[in-house]
Amino acid sequence: MTSRQGNLLGFAACAGLLAYAYYAQIVLHLEPCPLCIFQRVGVFAVGVCCTTVADFAQAREGGRIGVRRIQ
């Protein structure tokens, strides 16, 4: 597994967690506590970080962020 695939898997996990949280809130009518809301913000931030890193992932290890490789 490459680092890009791992980061995309992390993003998918974050998206799944947030999807279930909103499902539980809207469909199951469970009110989120303040800790749950804070957790959602944290999971969203991790998902954004995973997406950003996956976008800039290089094929070689040690590549610089922001420099895309032309294939």
Side-chain angles (χ1 to χ4, degrees):
M1 175 180 287
T2 64
S3 64
R4 177 176 238 168
Q5 291 172 338
N7 284 311
L8 290 175
L9 183 64
F11 168 74
C14 290
L17 287 170
L18 289 173
Y20 179 74
Y22 286 118
Y23 168 80
Q25 180 180 351
I26 295 169
V27 176
L28 301 178
H29 303 291
L30 297 175
E31 288 295 320
C33 65
L35 178 61
C36 296
I37 294 171
F38 187 68
Q39 247 181 340
R40 288 182 192 185
V41 171
V43 169
F44 179 78
V46 170
V48 168
C49 290
C50 285
T51 307
T52 304
V53 171
D55 188 34
F56 290 117
Q58 298 271 331
R60 293 182 294 155
E61 291 296 322
R64 283 190 270 158
I65 292 179
V67 179
R68 291 184 185 236
R69 231 176 132 176
I70 299 174
Q71 297 185 20

